[in-house]
Amino acid sequence: MVDMNLESVDSDVGAEIRALAENMLKQLEQGELTKAVALVNDLNEIRDQTLYTEIGKLTRALHESIKNLEFSDPADAGSDIENTTDKLTYVLEMTDKSANRTMDLADTGDPLAKEISEQGVQLSERWKKFMNKDINSTEFRALSQDIEAYLLNSTTNANEIRQQFSEIVLAQDFQDLTGQVIHKVTDLIRDVESRLVRLVVMAGQVDQITGIRHDLATPSQTENSEGPDIAAEGPQINKADKAVVNNQDDVDDLLSSLGF
Amino acid sequence: MIQKSRLLEVVLDKNMKILIVDDFSTMRRIVKNLLRDLGFTNTQEADDGTTALPMLQNGDFDFLVTDWNMPGMTGLDLLKTIRQDERLKTLPVLMVTAEAKRDQIVAAAQAGVNGYVVKPFTAAVLKEKIDKIFERVEG
């Protein structure tokens, strides 16, 4: 990063201008008008030279900063910004994959649990009959066989469900991976922000040296959220914000206050 | 009151045709699964308002569950469009969204939403809102 030190520039130039001015005054006192006018040209030249030098320095610094915004070696394919987009796409893919994998596993496990439950209910009914001595020997034989099958079946189903549970747990590994990626992206955004701030400061110095004044138009008001075209904003991170509801109860209260 | 809601369980047509609109397939799947658990199996999906609108106009849907923030046409715009449509203006609409600003909820209410659920939500909340919507619609 090129450091600009305008104060020292000012004082060097100032000294030169002062010397010339004093010289000019002397020439004028001595009646040497031609020489004095020539000195005015010298003064102009100093001003132009300083300007050119400083603008040159600033341009280089700006160029350097813009180049730095790209971060990586130009030989690398794609900048870090591009990589960031890829990284976020990766996060999207990972979370999508994990959510679907989890739901797939839950969908496969559900009928197995349902089977255990339904067969259990049915066998309980028959078992109750047996306890009340309300079944004959044929029914009892069938019941015994069904209970044996049920014991076997429920063990198999429970084992499968346990396997699915452990796979569901494994499918949460995205949190770690995407977390790391998001950390990197956050770091990059911070870095970009600080570089941009430095760019803005430098641009301000260009203005200062060249004496450019911008007519700062008042920034256009961002669409008021109370306007008729209310926009979607996505999840609210800051729950402390008074404009944001905290939970479904708040939503319900608000809606009932509106006559819902 | 208890008797009334028990009666409603029977009254609610489990075969009613429901359109689920969300740009995230996982969220569509979650809503679809929850609805299935509640006994509603006749569901279709769309990924934003632009795809949902012609489906609604051409198919006899009984209920719309929509997200707000979607590319193309948002859920709020879809709601407003539906309320302008002579044939669809009475269609019950439940908004299931992460939009949680008071202004937004008021805007949705003004646009004619029948229920509003903020994400993340539970199966119980979804059921409660659906019951409530049809309680009001039926009677």
Side-chain angles (χ1 to χ4, degrees):
Chain A
M1 190 53 61
V2 181
D3 267 326
M4 298 300 306
N5 195 336
L6 282 177
E7 307 237 324
S8 78
V9 168
D10 284 351
S11 65
D12 284 356
V13 176
E16 253 183 283
I17 292 173
R18 178 183 287 272
L20 279 170
E22 280 165 0
N23 193 8
M24 189 157 60
L25 210 62
K26 217 177 353 175
Q27 300 293 344
L28 281 172
E29 278 164 0
Q30 289 168 5
E32 299 276 6
L33 198 61
T34 330
K35 278 186 184 167
V37 171
L39 283 168
V40 172
N41 281 337
D42 288 353
L43 270 173
N44 267 336
E45 210 160 295
I46 285 178
R47 196 202 61 185
D48 290 351
Q49 278 302 324
T50 326
L51 211 59
Y52 292 147
T53 318
E54 291 313 310
I55 287 175
K57 278 188 202 161
L58 282 170
T59 312
R60 268 195 300 282
L62 272 172
H63 184 71
E64 203 60 32
S65 284
I66 289 165
K67 241 172 48 191
N68 281 340
L69 275 179
E70 298 281 326
F71 299 98
S72 35
D73 194 321
D76 284 351
S79 66
D80 279 8
I81 300 281
E82 267 171 62
N83 290 341
T84 304
T85 323
D86 292 345
K87 280 180 187 138
L88 290 177
T89 312
Y90 168 80
V91 170
L92 205 65
E93 283 167 3
M94 287 291 286
T95 49
D96 182 85
K97 210 176 88 188
S98 166
N100 279 306
R101 177 92 188 106
T102 306
M103 284 190 278
D104 283 344
L105 286 161
D107 282 351
T108 345
D110 188 59
L112 299 177
K114 196 177 164 199
E115 202 175 81
I116 297 179
S117 154
E118 283 176 355
Q119 288 179 356
V121 169
Q122 198 228 11
L123 284 175
S124 294
E125 294 293 318
R126 289 164 68 192
W127 182 254
K128 229 182 268 168
K129 270 188 166 177
F130 165 72
M131 292 300 275
N132 293 335
K133 302 190 170 35
D134 195 17
I135 58 171
N136 61 37
S137 61
T138 327
E139 280 173 330
F140 176 71
R141 217 172 296 126
L143 176 61
S144 312
Q145 279 170 1
D146 285 351
I147 287 179
E148 197 188 356
Y150 177 69
L151 291 176
L152 217 71
N153 194 24
S154 56
T155 316
T156 319
N157 282 12
N159 282 339
E160 269 185 59
I161 292 170
R162 286 191 60 203
Q163 179 64 34
Q164 281 145 6
F165 277 147
S166 81
E167 280 184 53
I168 284 175
V169 171
L170 280 179
Q172 312 311 310
D173 63 352
F174 77 95
Q175 174 62 32
D176 174 30
L177 303 171
T178 58
Q180 292 179 38
V181 168
I182 288 170
H183 271 307
K184 276 190 193 150
V185 173
T186 318
D187 288 347
L188 184 86
I189 288 170
R190 276 207 202 95
D191 199 18
V192 171
E193 192 196 17
S194 72
R195 283 165 200 264
L196 282 174
V197 166
R198 270 184 272 174
L199 258 182
V200 169
V201 170
M202 232 177 274
Q205 288 174 338
V206 171
D207 289 350
Q208 201 185 325
I209 286 179
T210 53
I212 297 171
R213 282 183 194 281
H214 296 281
D215 282 333
L216 287 176
T218 43
S220 59
Q221 287 281 316
T222 44
E223 187 95 354
N224 194 311
S225 56
E226 279 165 13
D229 289 326
I230 199 150
E233 298 181 18
Q236 295 290 339
I237 310 296
N238 181 13
K239 291 278 183 193
D241 187 343
K242 284 222 168 58
V244 177
V245 296
N246 283 313
N247 49 43
Q248 185 65 39
D249 287 344
D250 282 0
V251 178
D252 297 347
D253 288 348
L254 180 59
L255 286 177
S256 73
S257 76
L258 294 169
F260 269 71
Chain B
M1 192 63 208
I2 293 165
Q3 271 186 329
K4 196 182 176 194
S5 65
R6 216 178 265 156
L7 195 71
L8 270 164
E9 298 265 326
V10 188
V11 169
L12 266 188
D13 178 12
K14 299 287 184 189
N15 269 325
M16 69 174 172
K17 201 166 157 191
I18 306 173
L19 183 64
I20 304 164
V21 190
D22 199 306
D23 52 334
F24 279 90
S25 63
T26 43
M27 190 44 75
R28 289 201 301 271
R29 197 171 159 185
I30 289 169
V31 173
K32 190 180 164 176
N33 282 11
L34 288 173
L35 288 172
R36 192 196 55 204
D37 290 347
L38 297 175
F40 302 103
T41 47
N42 191 5
T43 55
Q44 285 189 33
E45 300 175 29
D47 61 3
D48 84 326
T50 321
T51 30
L53 193 58
M55 291 175 77
L56 289 166
Q57 283 164 338
N58 300 323
D60 44 345
F61 284 96
D62 302 300
F63 186 34
L64 169 67
V65 180
T66 181
D67 183 23
W68 180 325
N69 195 3
M70 294 177 289
M73 189 194 265
T74 67
L76 188 71
D77 288 340
L78 178 65
L79 174 64
K80 286 177 179 166
T81 316
I82 286 171
R83 290 296 177 246
Q84 301 289 318
D85 188 308
E86 200 49 45
R87 221 169 54 81
L88 296 171
K89 66 181 178 191
T90 57
L91 179 74
V93 178
L94 176 67
M95 203 165 253
V96 178
T97 172
E99 304 303 326
K101 279 201 160 172
R102 290 176 190 280
D103 294 346
Q104 293 174 315
I105 298 163
V106 172
Q110 283 165 349
V113 83
N114 300 84
Y116 198 100
V117 173
V118 280
K119 294 177 191 171
F121 60 97
T122 62
V125 166
L126 189 70
K127 181 177 176 355
E128 186 198 322
K129 300 306 161 209
I130 293 174
D131 283 349
K132 211 170 165 192
I133 287 173
F134 285 95
E135 190 179 343
R136 211 177 291 124
V137 168
E138 314 263 321

